[in-house]
Amino acid sequence: MKTALILVAAAALIVGSLAKAEQLGTSRTDLQRHDLGIPGREVVQVRVDLAPGVLAPNHSHPGEEIVYVIEGLLQYQLEGEAPVTLKAGQVLFIPAGKIHSARNVGNVNAAELATYIVEKGKPLSVQSK
């Protein structure tokens, strides 16, 4: 009986987490992760989808991020810089540790291919306060 209750509680937590992610209107699909020839560094590629109006709030990465917009219209705000709006086919370089955000400013889904060149073993993303 205890095992059944634990399984039901675990399932509820998973469903709740998925619902929260859907409410936020974002999804991340990990595509690949490989060690580089530089000791302690790795490359990670992720597809990030944002629903219309959704904001990926201020955060940073322990390495460089190269963004390629796959679809839609995304506005990026890098700390200390003017916002830049990119459409499909455009790119952006975000320096290591630079606090930034992204918002879907269009009325359809927006997606980016994010390529990170980061320090291995560190969290891929750090939320800013």
Side-chain angles (χ1 to χ4, degrees), residues 16-29 47-57 74 102-106 108-112:
S17 296
L18 291 174
K20 184 177 179 183
E22 288 175 8
Q23 288 173 347
L24 296 175
T26 63
S27 67
R28 295 177 60 88
T29 305
R47 178 187 170 119
V48 181
D49 287 86
L50 289 92
V54 169
L55 170 71
L74 290 167
R103 180 185 301 272
N104 179 347
V105 293
V108 297
N109 184 68
E112 69 174 25

Side-chain angles (χ1 to χ4, degrees), residues 66-80:
I66 299 113
V67 172
Y68 174 82
V69 178
I70 299 169
E71 63 180 300
L73 199 59
L74 290 167
Q75 183 178 72
Y76 296 88
Q77 177 67 61
L78 279 65
E79 185 176 50

Side-chain angles (χ1 to χ4, degrees), residues 16-109:
S17 296
L18 291 174
K20 184 177 179 183
E22 288 175 8
Q23 288 173 347
L24 296 175
T26 63
S27 67
R28 295 177 60 88
T29 305
D30 292 339
L31 301 173
Q32 65 175 329
R33 179 183 296 256
H34 293 283
D35 290 344
L36 294 174
I38 304 164
R41 304 291 277 185
E42 66 181 342
V43 63
V44 180
Q45 283 193 310
V46 177
R47 178 187 170 119
V48 181
D49 287 86
L50 289 92
V54 169
L55 170 71
N58 282 344
H59 62 282
S60 64
H61 307 283
E64 291 78 13
E65 178 182 8
I66 299 113
V67 172
Y68 174 82
V69 178
I70 299 169
E71 63 180 300
L73 199 59
L74 290 167
Q75 183 178 72
Y76 296 88
Q77 177 67 61
L78 279 65
E79 185 176 50
E81 299 181 26
V84 60
T85 301
L86 302 179
K87 61 184 178 181
Q90 293 184 305
V91 296
L92 178 67
F93 178 82
I94 303 172
K98 184 81 160 184
I99 296 173
H100 61 282
S101 64
R103 180 185 301 272
N104 179 347
V105 293
N107 55 11
V108 297
N109 184 68

